[in-house]
């Protein structure tokens, strides 16, 4: 987690016991907010922390989930000072999570960089004639072992697109809600394990790719348990789709779910 504004302070907590695992300043001399994501960039079996400046720069850094040390640093968009959103997922199937970056103002430029070496894997303008910020995510939508890049318009539109990293091809495009809805769309993927992963989301939603409704899923707050510290209550069973799909809801997030 990171503060909404201030000093780029990032903290990582154990979800089971709410204990602090890591705490660090991502950028010295930068006092703005940051966007964060998690993915196993160095293929050591632990999720690493991707951090992107939310304002005034397009600086992206990756920190080790094991030690908190900086793994690498890059400027996603040279000369662009509008801030970036970040996500992580294995786009090329090499076992290393790659980094997805989207602009926060002016256009919908999205790039992806390899977790192994940091080379450029993808560069696309997601939405023509759209000048608002975008939210990005990564997930394997078709079960081929390669994550696609998922992009959602956040300002005045619920347009969502997905791109294949190998050739930048657009593989999905839809409006999550009626054209009259202009509240934007935040995309996010939650994955419990690979393979056969289950995904969940915090609010009412729709299986946008399959056109079927999904009931509200139970929340999982931390509660005290004698002798075990803070634990999560049993989660309401999630509805599992037979094919990967993108889901979402107003004021919620778009997630992806796949059959077990």
């Amino acid at each position: 987690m990171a503060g909404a504004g201030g000093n780029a302070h990032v903290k990582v907590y154990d979800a089971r016991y709410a204990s602090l695992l890591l705490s660090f300043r991502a950028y010295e001399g930068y006092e703005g907010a940051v966007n964060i994501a998690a993915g196993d960039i160095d293929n050591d079996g632990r999720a690493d922390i991707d951090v992107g400046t939310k304002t005034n720069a397009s600086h992206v850094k990756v920190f080790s989930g094991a030690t908190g040390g900086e793994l690498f640093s890059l400027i996603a968009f040279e000369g662009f000072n509008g801030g970036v959103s970040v996500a992580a997922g294995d786009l090329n199937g090499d076992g290393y999570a790659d980094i997805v970056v989207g602009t926060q103002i002016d256009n919908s430029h999205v790039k992806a960089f390899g977790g192994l070496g940091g080379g450029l894997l993808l560069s696309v303008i997601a939405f023509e004639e759209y000048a608002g910020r975008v939210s990005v995510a990564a997930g394997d939508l078709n079960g081929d072992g390669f994550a696609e890049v998922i992009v959602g318009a956040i300002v005045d539109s619920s347009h969502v697109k997905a791109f294949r990293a190998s050739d930048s091809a657009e593989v999905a495009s839809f409006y999550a809600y009626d054209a009259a809805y202009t509240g934007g769309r935040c995309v996010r993927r939650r994955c419990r394990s690979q393979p056969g992963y289950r995904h969940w989301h915090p609010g009412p939603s729709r299986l946008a790719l399959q056109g079927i409704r999904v009931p509200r899923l139970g929340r999982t707050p931390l509660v005290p348990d004698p002798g075990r510290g803070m634990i999560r209550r049993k989660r309401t069973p999630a509805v599992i789709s037979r094919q990967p799909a993108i889901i979402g809801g107003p004021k919620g997030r778009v997630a992806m779910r796949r059959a077990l």
Side-chain angles (χ1 to χ4, degrees):
M1 63 178 294
N7 54 13
H9 194 179
V10 178
K11 292 184 178 182
V12 179
Y13 289 87
D14 186 312
R16 293 169 297 178
Y17 308 115
S19 57
L20 181 65
L21 299 178
L22 294 172
S23 177
F24 56 87
R25 284 280 303 274
Y27 306 97
E28 293 297 331
Y30 172 75
E31 300 299 326
V34 296
N35 284 318
I36 56 176
D40 189 1
I41 304 297
D42 57 4
N43 197 22
D44 66 351
R46 295 192 179 188
D48 305 304
I49 303 100
D50 308 335
V51 185
T53 50
K54 199 169 185 178
T55 58
N56 301 327
S58 62
H59 197 175
V60 177
K61 288 187 177 184
V62 178
F63 297 87
S64 169
T67 67
E70 184 178 316
L71 297 179
F72 68 82
S73 171
L74 59 87
I75 301 298
F77 304 98
E78 293 291 342
F80 176 74
N81 297 318
V84 292
S85 57
V86 292
D90 188 359
L91 305 179
N92 53 13
D94 63 358
Y96 295 80
D98 306 304
I99 304 162
V100 182
V101 185
T103 54
Q104 292 287 275
I105 61 171
D106 293 340
N107 56 45
S108 58
H109 198 173
V110 176
K111 288 184 177 182
F113 300 89
L116 181 61
L120 183 65
L121 300 180
L122 172 79
S123 179
V124 297
I125 301 298
F127 307 103
E128 296 293 340
E129 300 180 357
Y130 171 76
R133 59 194 179 106
V134 296
S135 174
V136 293
D140 186 2
L141 299 180
N142 56 12
D144 65 353
F146 300 88
E148 279 74 45
V149 173
I150 306 163
V151 188
I154 290 183
V155 181
D156 298 333
S157 175
S158 64
H159 201 174
V160 178
K161 288 187 178 184
F163 298 88
R164 186 168 55 228
S166 60
D167 57 4
S168 302
E170 181 182 306
V171 297
S173 177
F174 62 92
Y175 288 85
Y177 302 98
D178 186 271
Y181 175 74
T182 58
R185 180 75 267 126
C186 177
V187 293
R188 187 66 54 88
R189 178 186 65 92
R190 290 182 181 269
C191 177
R192 295 189 56 162
S193 62
Q194 292 277 0
Y197 47 83
R198 177 180 297 191
H199 304 273
W200 64 278
H201 65 99
S205 65
R206 181 185 305 165
L207 277 170
L209 290 186
Q210 296 189 357
I212 59 177
R213 292 191 176 276
V214 179
R216 184 180 179 88
L217 302 183
R219 296 183 183 275
T220 56
L222 288 170
V223 296
D225 182 77
R228 297 177 61 192
M230 300 296 288
I231 65 171
R232 290 193 180 277
R233 289 175 179 166
K234 185 177 180 180
R235 181 175 296 154
T236 302
V239 173
I240 304 301
S241 64
R242 294 187 178 276
Q243 296 294 331
I246 299 173
I247 60 178
K251 306 299 184 182
R253 289 178 174 142
V254 173
M256 191 183 77
R257 59 177 66 232
R258 175 179 173 182
L260 291 175

